[in-house]
Amino acid sequence: MRVFALVTAAIVVLVSSQVARADFDDRPGWQRAGYTALAGVENVVPIVSAVAAPRCLQGYILCKLSFAGISVVAAAEHLLFTGGSDMAQTDAIIHRGFAGDWILTPRHAAGDAEPQVLPDPAHVSSSGSGN
């Protein structure tokens, strides 16, 4: 009976290591369902979201909302201090807070995709900046 248990455990480990290297679409249905459930939990449960997105400890959706709110405050402050003369930078600040992934998908939970909490700002051409 112990030999059977060892052989079964070895088969499970070998099969799961092969499945872990597969694309998300090629994984078994039970594993995709598990990653879907994990993504749902990571979106709302504090600390669990740090598994997929290390910057987010309070749940991914709340984290994304807080980054978006902070970007609005920072953009308003930048707009106030520049007097509206640097709208490209203000747009980049807003873009950084609101762009990216707003929810974690099963692909994020599986590790096939990396969530973009704070994506890089969009490239803006500076006209007449002198630099």
Side-chain angles (χ1 to χ4, degrees):
M1 191 64 160
R2 288 184 182 178
V3 173
F4 177 73
L6 287 173
V7 170
T8 305
I11 290 172
V12 167
V13 168
L14 290 175
V15 169
S16 65
S17 68
Q18 294 297 323
V19 171
R21 288 184 280 216
D23 272 348
F24 183 77
D25 295 328
D26 296 334
R27 294 182 184 192
W30 61 269
Q31 200 173 42
R32 288 191 311 249
Y35 284 129
T36 302
L38 178 61
V41 169
E42 287 177 338
N43 279 318
V44 294
V45 176
I47 299 175
V48 178
S49 61
V51 172
R55 293 181 179 179
C56 296
L57 290 177
Q58 68 266 35
Y60 189 81
I61 294 174
L62 186 59
C63 176
K64 187 64 182 174
L65 282 171
S66 65
F67 283 141
I70 290 170
S71 74
V72 168
V73 171
E77 180 183 8
H78 183 267
L79 190 63
L80 180 71
F81 284 141
T82 62
S85 64
D86 189 11
M87 287 303 293
Q89 181 65 30
T90 304
D91 290 342
I93 293 170
I94 292 291
H95 171 81
R96 185 135 192 225
F98 281 88
D101 300 319
W102 276 84
I103 61 168
L104 292 175
T105 64
R107 290 186 188 279
H108 293 123
D112 288 352
E114 186 175 332
Q116 296 293 318
V117 181
L118 287 173
D120 291 332
H123 179 69
V124 291
S125 60
S126 57
S127 56
S129 66
N131 288 337

